[in-house]
Amino acid sequence: MHSAEGLNDMVYNRCVGTRYCSNNCPYKVRRFNFLRFQDWETPSLKLLRNPEVTVRSRGVMEKCTYCVQRINNARIDADRENRDIRDGEIVTACEAACPSDAIVFGNANDPNSRVARLKAQQRNYNILGELNSRPRTTYLAAVRNPNPEMEKA
């Protein structure tokens, strides 16, 4: 299902682990959870428990949530202060961990946001764009075709 903001959400309570979504995902980003993270007895696993992240049971499909808990926290803070979410206020975990600042998250509908300016560059492309699936994740690179015969077709 999709959220109002266009994020592809996982409803883990509804997942029965048939792996149908993984089979049909053209990007192959979904992973099957073979592990049991609900182990409450093992002392070394106590550090894995983050109260902001849902603990999924074994046998469900998983995918990136774009840190929906961080999005919700920023939305609550903005609503409390009666303002819009500022550009750069939401920082996903992968964006915070990236030392080269190569991952950018933001509102692509706001033309003044950093992510919208990056998406407007000529180097912006999406994977499997010919499928017209309109992915939210895009990439910046100089895409070159080293085979001149391909351009004629």
Side-chain angles (χ1 to χ4, degrees):
M1 76 180 256
H2 288 88
S3 69
E5 295 173 332
L7 293 176
N8 189 346
D9 291 337
M10 273 294 293
V11 183
Y12 294 107
N13 296 346
R14 291 189 205 162
C15 180
V16 293
T18 61
R19 301 182 224 177
Y20 183 76
C21 57
S22 176
N23 187 41
N24 292 321
C25 179
Y27 306 104
K28 301 301 176 200
V29 294
R30 296 177 186 264
R31 300 287 178 251
F32 187 71
N33 182 3
F34 288 100
L35 305 175
R36 184 173 174 235
F37 291 116
Q38 292 179 324
D39 184 3
W40 299 102
E41 280 74 42
T42 306
S44 63
L45 295 179
K46 287 184 180 179
L47 298 175
L48 287 174
R49 296 193 194 101
N50 183 346
E52 294 183 341
V53 179
T54 306
V55 177
R56 280 86 58 201
S57 62
R58 178 176 25 194
V60 299
M61 295 302 297
E62 298 195 14
K63 62 174 277 304
C64 174
T65 62
Y66 289 102
C67 294
V68 71
Q69 71 278 5
R70 295 180 182 212
I71 297 171
N72 290 335
N73 286 342
R75 184 184 302 114
I76 290 168
D77 291 342
D79 285 345
R80 189 178 304 131
E81 296 172 10
N82 199 17
R83 60 171 175 80
D84 290 334
I85 298 173
R86 296 183 200 109
D87 185 34
E89 187 173 1
I90 300 171
V91 179
T92 60
C94 59
E95 185 180 2
C98 182
S100 63
D101 202 24
I103 300 172
V104 179
F105 185 84
N107 185 0
N109 293 328
D110 179 11
N112 298 323
S113 69
R114 181 177 176 216
V115 72
R117 289 191 308 266
L118 290 171
K119 285 178 79 80
Q121 290 185 8
Q122 186 178 358
R123 299 183 307 139
N124 183 50
Y125 74 98
N126 54 21
I127 295 178
L128 300 176
E130 63 274 7
L131 295 179
N132 197 24
S133 60
R134 297 178 297 165
R136 280 115 183 119
T137 303
T138 60
Y139 304 90
L140 290 178
V143 180
R144 295 182 190 92
N145 185 2
N147 188 351
E149 295 296 321
M150 294 278 298
E151 291 187 23
K152 293 177 185 175

